[in-house]
């Protein structure tokens, strides 16, 4: 991975969200402290978006930001929307945060954590206008599939977070995983598919891609599947995935 100019923790701080805790332990190089859930005994405090961003603009979440290209373009294109990216691998979170810091973008923040844990413990119900999930890791081996982020529990946590009439955007270059995701969401009365919006979802760069993995898929001649769902007004009961 090409290294961007290195910024200090202080310089990156405005672009980095950390869970509030009096005993914060510095995170290592790999997955984040909250990689698979926050430590037991912690008392989650819902994020106050207004306080975090310093304004009352709508908030959108991206899960699995990787190097952060989508949020870079989205936050530049839509300065009146706030963007919150959740990435489980610290080096990618810092890479993305550095891109935003270098440009001084006021409307984007990053979290280094398991998205499911953040959605469950820190995102207030009906508080975001969209959730984007682009090219989530497929975890090919059968014994690893339980690590996939997009599960029934994740989908219900996402539905809980999105305001009525908000949007869920998904894309994948793995047809089998895309089918799994769409089967989960299609079974939920909390979501209604919006096929007419597919092409508008995740605005492309001039080169024709929205994320790094989309570029890799298209450069390799592969296909990309995408779907857009509207959050209905149906209530949603959170389900829990079976323990891995
Ligand atoms: C295949 S990459 C796609 C990155 C980016 N969305 C793109 O399209 O270029 C998937 C990303 O999701 C991150 N990820 C995997 N599981 C996650 C989880 N539970 N919570 C947050 N991020 C996760 C990975 O570290 C990786 O950066």
């Amino acid at each position: 991975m090409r290294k961007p100019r290195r910024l200090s923790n202080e310089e990156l701080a405005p672009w980095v969200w950390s869970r509030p805790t009096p005993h914060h332990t510095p995170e290592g190089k790999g997955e984040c402290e909250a990689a698979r859930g926050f430590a037991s005994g912690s008392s989650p405090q819902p994020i106050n978006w207004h306080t975090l961003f310093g304004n009352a603009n709508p908030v959108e979440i991206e899960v699995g930001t990787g190097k952060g290209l989508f949020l870079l373009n989205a936050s530049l294109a839509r300065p009146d929307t706030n963007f919150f990216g959740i990435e489980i691998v610290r080096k990618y979170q810092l890479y993305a945060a550095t891109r935003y810091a270098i440009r001084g973008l006021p409307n984007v923040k990053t979290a280094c954590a398991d998205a499911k844990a953040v959605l469950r413990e820190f995102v207030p119900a009906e508080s975001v206008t969209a959730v984007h999930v682009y090219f989530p890791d497929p975890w090919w081996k059968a014994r690893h599939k339980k690590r996939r982020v997009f599960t029934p529990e994740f989908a219900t946590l996402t539905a809980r977070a999105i305001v009525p009439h908000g949007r869920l955007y998904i894309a994948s270059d793995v047809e089998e995983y895309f089918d799994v995701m769409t089967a989960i969401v299609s079974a939920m009365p909390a979501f209604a598919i919006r096929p007419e919006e597919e092409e508008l979802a995740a605005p492309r760069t001039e080169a024709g891609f929205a994320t790094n993995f989309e570029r890799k898929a298209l450069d390799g001649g592969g296909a990309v599947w995408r779907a857009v769902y509207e959050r209905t007004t149906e209530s949603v009961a959170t389900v829990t995935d079976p323990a891995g």
Side-chain angles (χ1 to χ4, degrees), residues 143-159:
R143 69 175 189 281
H144 289 158
K145 279 196 178 151
K146 60 177 182 272
R147 296 191 194 176
R148 286 180 171 183
V149 73
F150 208 107
T151 61
E153 180 178 356
F154 173 83
T156 59
L157 291 168
T158 300

Side-chain angles (χ1 to χ4, degrees), residues 62 64 66 86-89 113-115 134-135 137 149 211-213:
E62 187 192 11
I86 312 172
E87 168 54 54
I88 205 166
V89 176
D114 172 23
Y134 298 129
F135 304 88
D137 291 308
V149 73
T211 79
N212 281 93
F213 271 74

